[in-house]
Amino acid sequence: MSGEQVSLRRFCIGQDHNVEENHGLSRIIYMRNLFFTLLAVLLPICLFAQKGTVRGNVFDKSNAVPIGFATVSIEGTGLGATTDLNGFFTVGNIPAGPQKLRVSFLGYNDYLADIEIKFGEILYQNIFLEESGTELQEVVVSGKKKQAKSEVQVSKIAVTPKQIRALPSAGGQADVAQYLTVLPGVVFTGDQGGQLYIRGGSPVQNRILLDGMTIYNPFHSIGFFSVFETELIRNVDVLTGGFNADYGGRVSAVVDVKTREGNRKRLAGLVSASPFQAKAVIEGPIVKLKEEGGSSISFILTGKKSLIDQTSRALYNYVGDTSNIFGLFEQSELWKAPNRDTHVVRGIHFQHEDLYAKVTFLSGNGTKFNVFGFKYTDAVNYGITNYGWNSAGGGGDFTLIPANSNTIISGVVTVSGYDTYIEEADRLPRTSGISGFNAALNFTNFGRNSEFKCGLELTGFKTEFEFINFKGFPIGQVENTTEISTYAKYRKKIGPLVIEPGVRLQYYQSLNDFNPEPRLGLKYNISDRLRFKAAGGYYSQNLLSTVNERDIVNLFVGFLSGPEEALYKPGTTPGIEANRANHRLQKSIHGVGGFEIDVTDNFDLNVEGYYKRFTQLIAVNRYKLAASDPNFITETGDAYGLDISVKIEAKRAYLWGAYSYGFVTRNDGIQEYPPVFDRRHNLNLVGTYQLGKKKEWEAGVRWNFGSGFPFTQTQGFYNNVNFSDGVNTDILGGNSTAQQLGIIYAAQRNGGRLPYYHRMDISMKRIFKFGKHSLLEVIASATNAYNRPNIFYFDRVRYTRVNQLPILPSLSATFQF
């Protein structure tokens, strides 16, 4: 072999060797890249697979009542949650392996258990807390403060039965109707026939819910009591504005009342009596709940009946002239009743009866199904006027907790109806009825520091209304309508920021109107104690009422659905196409902003400013003068103001203060005016203090101050000749008695103001305990303790003032077993 050949062979071998080395290096680099790629993809999956979730329900061990706002934590991980009103909690992203679960709540021994978290598993726990004599005040603070930091809660006030009972109440029997009046932004028009107005919205613009059912009239004619039994309430959420997409169908506010389930461990109940009413509650298990798991069935039944119409004859016979309420209804009508009975009837003539029943089925994994029903009645006889209403309904709701899903499914199906009437001397009766159904399905998915909720809602109702105005023109409606809506909202906590966007899509079938309604809520945690918040959105509704806002006091409220006839812009001439309104709905826009600060662990301050723009409101044209005049008119409106609330809770004392500074206006196209519920200043102060070694005594006081409501002033009178004798009517010689006078109102609507209102209620409670489950509660109380003569209404024709109820002392007793 030549040297040249040898060199060539060596070169080739060297090249082959280098190629093999390069190929090996390439394979190494490829495998390295593949390894890191797979590691990047699989590591999060593996890490996620090595985590799990624990969820469950927390109950009181003695009666299996759910415990809300309990603190749940996984020790050593920084993970935790707060139970909701149903005692439900979920904690995700827990590392797999053995963990320690701790649950704490005020007045109960801590619960500590060893749990085993498996890869991708959802572990369910039934937890029973046992009462303790030690008051862990810091525990309840931490639970509620944690929720305040992670949820928006703008213009949302949560009311508990404990807070309701702390308020000095008429007859010594606590009622949510009396507590709602002390909340910021809420205006109540009086003791008799009062109505509830929330941040510029009239009663029909506030949606009242009871376990998902729409309640069309939640208050009895005597304004001290509602249809909601205090002993049945689990929680009341009052959303005064800016509420998110899970609520709809109203343009002002929402009051959502949730009832509790019956005792799952033993038979229990109470009986109570006062001069105002008697009531009873009975509850217990059909199938008892066992701590080791399993299902249970429980029931609860409540009923109450008024006694004041009987007892007042003996106890409150100094209350007179309450039947002499000429002008209470339709004060703007002509006075044309010459034969009215003007005698004074002593006493307080209100009657009501309420019944509510509920049966609950609870499964071993927390899935729950409720069946419920109610019947409420109310009546008042003033001698010259008979007024009353009745309401009934029922339905069922469920909460489904799938075994291996972070999504909770809930739903409700209800039916309800409401009928009301009024009969006045020498006038044709007025009647109104509304009945309907509601079905909703909701899905809630829990993530780490996030929650997604969406749902569907179907509502249908029928309205029947009949009314004849003072000119003899009938206004009536029989209408069926259906509303379909869907919504979605998402809450995410990103560091100190909590954001909650939402959207509701509302379709009004009878009007063929589709309305998208975006909503947004924000909260920013400046520090552990200071939080800024804001919310807003678009809102609409189809339902309207027939309340005449020129009446000083209204009892009769009729309901109608949105009119199918053409509507015209405020102040324009009907019949002209260019003047037609763009839609036939009532709509509003809300904007709310403010801050909340924990001054100390037990001292909270909340400040909110709000603005509501009512872009279109619809009212019955009660004063149409010709058959060709429209049945309905439109208005616009504004409501804006500032609400401030202060709460101080200590071991023995509870203090609450709320001040509202507000403006409400309406514009009918002719003039801008304040409606009859516009109250510039409203101040409420509540205080309770427990005395005695075992806190067996409790003293309470409540004081309310409100500036005067507006009213339309009287400009003059005229002789109302009704020509009952036809051409033989003696025009010149007829007697101009008071009953025959017509009223000429001032041109400026609601240009005057009634006197200021203020009232103090006081109470003293004594508790006698006979055993673990039985006690007697005796309450001595006085409503309007210093006998302030607050105006009820003014009879313009007779120039007579009629006041609200005077001082009403009472003694009540409640026995629990």
Side-chain angles (χ1 to χ4, degrees):
M1 180 180 298
S2 65
E4 187 177 73
Q5 290 175 322
V6 171
S7 299
L8 179 62
R9 183 173 182 271
R10 287 177 177 174
F11 173 78
C12 291
I13 293 174
Q15 284 288 92
D16 288 343
H17 180 70
N18 290 337
V19 168
E20 288 176 2
E21 286 182 345
N22 289 336
H23 284 173
L25 182 61
S26 298
R27 283 194 296 269
I28 292 173
I29 294 174
Y30 173 78
M31 293 300 296
R32 183 195 64 185
N33 292 340
L34 178 62
F35 171 80
F36 283 112
T37 300
L38 292 175
L39 183 64
V41 172
L42 295 177
L43 182 60
I45 298 176
C46 294
L47 291 175
F48 180 80
Q50 295 183 50
K51 295 186 177 183
T53 299
V54 60
R55 67 187 182 199
N57 288 81
V58 180
F59 301 100
D60 184 305
K61 187 174 183 179
S62 64
N63 53 22
V65 170
I67 297 177
F69 304 109
T71 300
V72 181
S73 60
I74 307 299
E75 292 198 335
T77 66
L79 300 173
T82 302
T83 60
D84 64 13
L85 293 173
N86 296 308
F88 179 78
F89 70 90
T90 179
V91 182
N93 295 311
I94 306 173
Q99 301 288 351
K100 286 188 178 295
L101 174 68
R102 180 182 291 275
V103 181
S104 304
F105 188 66
L106 171 71
Y108 290 83
N109 293 324
D110 281 9
Y111 172 90
L112 186 63
D114 294 320
I115 59 174
E116 183 73 24
I117 299 297
K118 298 181 180 179
F119 299 157
E121 180 187 65
I122 297 179
L123 177 66
Y124 180 82
Q125 295 279 292
N126 258 342
I127 298 170
F128 292 84
L129 299 185
E130 191 170 5
E131 289 188 15
S132 168
T134 304
E135 294 191 10
L136 304 175
Q137 187 68 31
E138 68 279 2
V139 173
V140 69
V141 167
S142 63
K144 290 193 175 182
K145 299 309 180 192
K146 183 176 182 179
Q147 186 185 49
K149 295 174 184 177
S150 61
E151 296 185 7
V152 176
Q153 295 182 337
V154 178
S155 296
K156 177 181 177 181
I157 305 169
V159 181
T160 65
K162 180 181 178 181
Q163 293 170 323
I164 298 172
R165 295 189 192 100
L167 186 73
S169 51
Q173 294 178 323
D175 193 280
V176 68
Q178 299 171 61
Y179 195 86
L180 290 177
T181 64
V182 307
L183 300 180
V186 176
V187 171
F188 199 67
T189 56
D191 310 332
Q192 305 180 69
Q195 299 287 339
L196 197 68
Y197 300 88
I198 302 178
R199 282 187 177 173
S202 63
V204 74
Q205 294 159 2
N206 306 321
R207 189 174 188 184
I208 312 296
L209 297 171
L210 175 62
D211 290 331
M213 292 182 291
T214 299
I215 303 298
Y216 297 102
N217 190 350
F219 304 110
H220 288 295
S221 298
I222 183 169
F224 298 137
F225 301 107
S226 71
V227 299
F228 309 121
E229 172 51 52
T230 303
E231 304 301 329
L232 194 64
I233 291 175
R234 170 173 294 158
N235 189 77
V236 181
D237 285 332
V238 182
L239 299 100
T240 57
F243 45 91
N244 215 299
D246 45 345
Y247 292 101
R250 295 296 186 273
V251 295
S252 184
V254 175
V255 179
D256 191 0
V257 180
K258 294 288 197 313
T259 63
R260 64 179 179 86
E261 294 84 27
N263 195 311
R264 297 187 176 101
K265 288 292 191 75
R266 63 179 183 85
L267 188 67
L270 68 79
V271 291
S272 178
S274 78
F276 286 82
Q277 66 179 9
K279 64 180 182 180
V281 178
I282 185 72
E283 58 181 309
I286 300 174
V287 176
K288 289 185 178 182
L289 177 66
K290 299 179 180 179
E291 292 186 28
E292 58 269 18
S295 60
S296 72
I297 303 175
S298 62
F299 76 93
I300 188 167
L301 174 66
T302 70
K304 59 186 176 187
K305 178 179 173 56
S306 61
L307 302 176
I308 191 65
D309 57 317
Q310 302 296 323
T311 59
S312 64
R313 298 173 186 175
L315 300 178
Y316 308 117
N317 62 357
Y318 56 89
V319 181
D321 221 10
T322 58
S323 67
N324 184 17
I325 59 165
F326 310 108
L328 175 58
F329 309 99
E330 310 275 345
Q331 287 203 17
S332 56
E333 292 193 12
L334 302 178
W335 293 93
K336 54 182 181 179
N339 298 317
R340 287 185 186 272
D341 181 7
T342 61
H343 71 281
V344 173
V345 178
R346 300 290 176 180
I348 305 173
H349 305 278
F350 298 98
Q351 302 175 46
H352 60 260
E353 292 183 9
D354 299 335
L355 290 172
Y356 187 93
K358 184 175 186 178
V359 177
T360 302
F361 304 83
L362 180 68
S363 73
N365 72 337
T367 294
K368 183 173 60 177
F369 176 64
N370 295 305
V371 180
F372 42 80
F374 71 89
K375 180 175 176 58
Y376 306 135
T377 61
D378 184 274
V380 57
N381 185 351
Y382 288 106
I384 62 168
T385 302
N386 289 326
Y387 163 76
W389 56 261
N390 64 79
S391 181
D397 64 42
F398 69 88
T399 301
L400 177 63
I401 303 179
N404 292 295
S405 173
N406 282 327
T407 299
I408 307 301
I409 305 171
S410 62
V412 61
V413 177
T414 67
V415 294
S416 61
Y418 172 79
D419 293 287
T420 182
Y421 67 91
I422 189 170
E423 294 178 357
E424 299 179 85
D426 300 322
R427 299 189 187 183
L428 295 174
R430 285 174 282 167
T431 61
S432 176
I434 181 170
S435 58
F437 67 89
N438 177 263
L441 187 63
N442 304 295
F443 302 86
T444 305
N445 182 269
F446 298 94
R448 185 173 185 180
N449 296 323
S450 68
E451 179 182 304
F452 177 75
K453 188 175 182 180
C454 62
L456 301 166
E457 186 174 3
L458 175 65
T459 301
F461 57 87
K462 177 182 180 181
T463 55
E464 298 177 89
F465 174 71
E466 183 180 359
F467 165 68
I468 298 177
N469 75 354
F470 72 101
K471 281 292 185 181
F473 292 107
I475 299 176
Q477 183 191 79
V478 177
E479 187 71 47
N480 292 282
T481 189
T482 303
E483 301 174 8
I484 304 171
S485 60
T486 182
Y487 75 91
K489 73 171 187 177
Y490 178 70
R491 175 171 56 84
K492 177 68 175 178
K493 189 175 188 299
I494 308 171
L497 176 67
V498 183
I499 183 170
E500 190 175 61
V503 64
R504 189 177 186 92
L505 306 177
Q506 197 91 17
Y507 177 66
Y508 299 92
Q509 179 270 334
S510 64
L511 303 178
N512 193 27
D513 198 318
F514 174 75
N515 199 57
E517 300 173 7
R519 317 277 177 85
L520 177 64
L522 298 168
K523 177 174 281 187
Y524 192 84
N525 293 275
I526 300 294
S527 66
D528 284 342
R529 294 189 178 275
L530 176 62
R531 300 172 288 277
F532 284 88
K533 54 187 178 179
Y538 287 76
Y539 305 86
S540 67
Q541 78 176 70
N542 186 24
L543 192 67
L544 56 132
S545 72
T546 61
V547 173
N548 181 6
E549 291 186 350
R550 292 187 68 173
D551 298 344
I552 294 177
V553 179
N554 295 288
L555 287 180
F556 179 81
V557 179
F559 291 97
L560 303 93
S561 61
E564 294 186 1
E565 66 181 66
L567 294 175
Y568 296 91
K569 297 175 183 177
T572 61
T573 303
I576 300 176
E577 186 64 27
N579 295 340
R580 292 184 67 144
N582 297 327
H583 57 84
R584 289 169 290 177
L585 292 170
Q586 300 188 92
K587 293 186 178 183
S588 68
I589 304 171
H590 295 189
V592 187
F595 65 90
E596 54 192 34
I597 181 170
D598 308 327
V599 182
T600 68
D601 286 344
N602 301 311
F603 181 6
D604 300 335
L605 171 66
N606 187 78
V607 179
E608 288 186 357
Y610 66 91
Y611 176 72
K612 293 181 182 179
R613 173 61 179 171
F614 298 97
T615 56
Q616 179 166 287
L617 299 173
I618 305 171
V620 173
N621 186 8
R622 300 169 72 100
Y623 303 104
K624 62 185 292 185
L625 300 177
S628 58
D629 290 343
N631 289 325
F632 300 90
I633 60 173
T634 62
E635 295 181 327
T636 59
D638 295 283
Y640 52 94
L642 180 71
D643 290 337
I644 303 173
S645 63
V646 175
K647 182 173 66 174
I648 301 175
E649 291 183 282
K651 292 184 177 181
R652 289 181 175 267
Y654 173 80
L655 298 174
W656 167 266
Y659 170 72
S660 297
Y661 179 66
F663 294 80
V664 185
T665 61
R666 297 286 187 262
N667 193 322
D668 59 8
I670 299 174
Q671 62 176 299
E672 185 177 83
Y673 65 94
V676 294
F677 53 87
D678 175 43
R679 172 167 275 175
R680 191 71 63 246
H681 305 279
N682 196 35
L683 174 65
N684 279 281
L685 300 174
V686 178
T688 63
Y689 189 80
Q690 294 176 323
L691 304 96
K693 186 176 180 179
K694 298 181 179 179
K695 301 180 182 179
E696 64 271 21
W697 291 90
E698 183 177 279
V701 61
R702 177 259 177 125
W703 188 67
N704 173 227
F705 170 86
S707 55
F709 290 119
F711 73 99
T712 302
Q713 295 165 310
T714 303
Q715 186 169 331
F717 302 90
Y718 64 94
N719 188 15
N720 173 33
V721 181
N722 57 24
F723 292 95
S724 57
D725 295 329
V727 295
N728 297 320
T729 301
D730 183 4
I731 299 178
L732 299 178
N735 293 324
S736 179
T737 62
Q739 292 90 341
Q740 294 173 315
L741 286 179
I743 302 172
I744 301 175
Y745 289 94
Q748 178 61 41
R749 185 171 179 179
N750 291 337
R753 290 277 172 172
L754 294 174
Y756 277 36
Y757 172 98
H758 54 88
R759 191 185 87 192
M760 177 179 287
D761 303 336
I762 58 175
S763 67
M764 177 62 76
K765 180 193 301 182
R766 175 66 161 93
I767 298 176
F768 303 90
K769 292 189 176 181
F770 305 113
K772 184 177 181 180
H773 302 299
S774 60
L775 62 84
L776 175 66
E777 183 180 88
V778 179
I779 301 177
S781 64
T783 303
N784 195 5
Y786 53 76
N787 204 28
R788 161 72 177 178
N790 293 302
I791 189 170
F792 180 27
Y793 73 96
F794 192 84
D795 182 346
R796 302 171 188 262
V797 176
R798 292 170 182 78
Y799 203 75
T800 302
R801 168 175 167 158
V802 178
N803 290 325
Q804 298 277 5
L805 295 174
I807 182 171
L808 298 173
S810 64
L811 187 69
S812 70
T814 301
F815 179 71
Q816 298 182 28
F817 59 90

